[in-house]
Amino acid sequence: MSLVNISFYQPSTLVLMGFPGLEADHPWISIPFCAFYVIAFSGNCLILIIIKKNQSLHKPMYYLLSMLAITDLGLALCTLPTTLGIFWFNIRKIDFDACLTQMYFIHILSVMESSVLLAMAFDRYVAISNPLRYSSILTKSTIIKIGLAIVSRAVVSLLPLPFLLKRLTYCESNALSHSFCFHPDIIKLACEDIMVNTLYGLVVILATAGVDFLFIVLSYILIIKTVVGLTNQEKCLPALNTCVSHICAVLIFFIPMIGLSIIHRYANNIPPMVNTVVAYIYLNVPPVLNPIIYSVKTKQIRKAMLRTLWRKNNPI
């Protein structure tokens, strides 16, 4: 039958997957995932509380770190219900519109995380290349405008995605590849031409995360150039040390994202387990590791945490 003659069909529900072939072990697999979510929520909430309570941390760098923590909390919250629902209760079905909603917020938060990492790279560049004007360039109002621009960019650029998916005719198969809804995964279920969806998804990822990554690389090229040109070489190490946490955050976000994008678009013959693991790394690892990295590598955050813990253990 020709594709043009297929009547319009949209499934009422979609079926989510956990770890293919390991369904019997899902209760055991849920244990590390529960640990991941506990660490992600507690770590990022602690970062937010520490920054809010310590006046010395009311600076552009830590405001941006707060945005990163909020974004990570959002990502963890988006995937938690369906992931633990599968592992604990074997709840695999999700309403089609609910799936599109989850997909929309997952992609919005991913774009926001990419944008926040770019803003943090710019913050480090200004702090190192022009420290005397740092506070006058990155004022509180500027940070607020950056935050609003980040949210607006993500919301507007991804707004057409659910509507582009709603117009498609789908096949009888309604099984997805993950325990959450992901745009490249959903369009594979369509029974008609998906060129518009594929092209739009590619344009969005290149215009957001792709552009962000290029500017982050450019920022560090300029940072290295500035540090190399410092007359006092003893300042080089402390200057670059402030960037270590951010570089780690960039790598743990962009490497899995690039890998997952390549897998969905080009690697059709790889084992399903590889696709599943990379997807979990992409969405679960950054919210877990980011607060740990910044707590360990950022001296001001570490000292503020120790002061807070000391006050709780030694009340006056």
Side-chain angles (χ1 to χ4, degrees):
M1 183 183 293
S2 173
L3 288 179
V4 297
N5 293 326
I6 296 177
S7 59
F8 180 79
Y9 171 73
Q10 180 177 292
S12 58
T13 59
L14 296 175
V15 178
L16 301 171
M17 297 291 291
F19 282 88
L22 298 176
E23 287 80 5
D25 297 321
H26 277 173
W28 293 104
I29 295 174
S30 70
I31 295 175
F33 275 87
C34 289
F36 288 157
Y37 284 120
V38 169
I39 294 171
F41 283 113
S42 59
N44 286 291
C45 286
L46 183 59
I47 290 284
L48 292 172
I49 292 170
I50 291 295
I51 292 174
K52 181 181 179 181
K53 288 190 173 183
N54 288 268
Q55 193 69 30
S56 62
L57 299 181
H58 291 184
K59 297 177 181 178
M61 173 184 174
Y62 303 106
Y63 290 142
L64 293 173
L65 180 56
S66 298
M67 292 184 196
L68 185 66
I70 292 171
T71 305
D72 283 337
L73 283 171
L75 276 174
L77 190 60
C78 278
T79 59
L80 182 146
T82 51
T83 299
L84 294 187
I86 290 173
F87 291 156
W88 284 353
F89 309 110
N90 198 33
I91 300 175
R92 298 179 178 275
K93 291 186 178 181
I94 182 172
D95 183 78
F96 185 75
D97 290 331
C99 186
L100 295 186
T101 302
Q102 185 191 44
M103 175 213 71
Y104 181 59
F105 280 102
I106 286 176
H107 286 289
I108 278 181
L109 291 163
S110 296
V111 171
M112 286 176 59
E113 179 132 357
S114 172
S115 303
V116 171
L117 290 172
L118 173 59
M120 296 175 83
F122 176 70
D123 167 82
R124 291 298 81 209
Y125 168 69
V126 174
I128 292 172
S129 65
N130 205 341
L132 297 179
R133 296 189 58 202
Y134 176 72
S135 57
S136 62
I137 294 174
L138 290 172
T139 61
K140 186 177 290 188
S141 63
T142 302
I143 296 298
I144 292 173
K145 290 176 183 177
I146 289 173
L148 292 174
I150 287 172
V151 174
S152 300
R153 178 201 194 200
V155 171
V156 172
S157 63
L158 292 164
L159 187 60
L161 279 188
F163 300 101
L164 289 174
L165 289 170
K166 289 281 286 185
R167 71 180 180 85
L168 293 176
T169 295
Y170 291 86
C171 304
E172 292 296 325
S173 174
N174 63 345
L176 299 174
S177 304
H178 307 297
S179 64
F180 52 86
C181 298
F182 196 59
H183 179 254
D185 203 21
I186 298 174
I187 60 175
K188 288 181 179 179
L189 303 179
C191 280
E192 60 177 287
D193 185 19
I194 58 172
M195 182 62 69
V196 173
N197 295 68
T198 303
L199 286 177
Y200 187 78
L202 183 61
V203 168
V204 169
I205 196 71
L206 291 176
T208 54
V211 171
D212 292 344
F213 184 74
L214 288 177
F215 277 109
I216 289 171
V217 172
L218 177 61
S219 296
Y220 275 100
I221 291 173
L222 295 175
I223 287 172
I224 293 171
K225 183 180 177 181
T226 300
V227 171
V228 170
L230 289 174
T231 55
N232 186 356
Q233 293 299 315
E234 292 181 357
K235 294 181 179 180
C236 290
L237 187 59
L240 284 177
N241 192 47
T242 62
C243 302
V244 173
S245 302
H246 180 255
I247 292 172
C248 292
V250 168
L251 293 177
I252 63 176
F253 174 76
F254 279 100
I255 290 177
M257 184 193 70
I258 293 170
L260 188 60
S261 298
I262 292 173
I263 287 172
H264 271 286
R265 284 178 171 82
Y266 305 111
N268 295 321
N269 298 320
I270 66 167
M273 185 64 71
V274 175
N275 188 5
T276 301
V277 170
V278 174
Y280 282 128
I281 291 174
Y282 168 53
L283 290 178
N284 291 344
V285 170
V288 171
L289 290 187
N290 282 340
I292 296 175
I293 290 169
Y294 275 95
S295 299
V296 172
K297 294 299 296 179
T298 307
K299 184 165 62 176
Q300 292 83 350
I301 292 287
R302 189 168 64 250
K303 285 184 176 180
M305 284 186 176
L306 291 174
R307 283 198 303 269
T308 302
L309 293 174
W310 175 259
R311 288 169 187 167
K312 286 185 177 181
N313 293 328
N314 298 275
I316 298 175

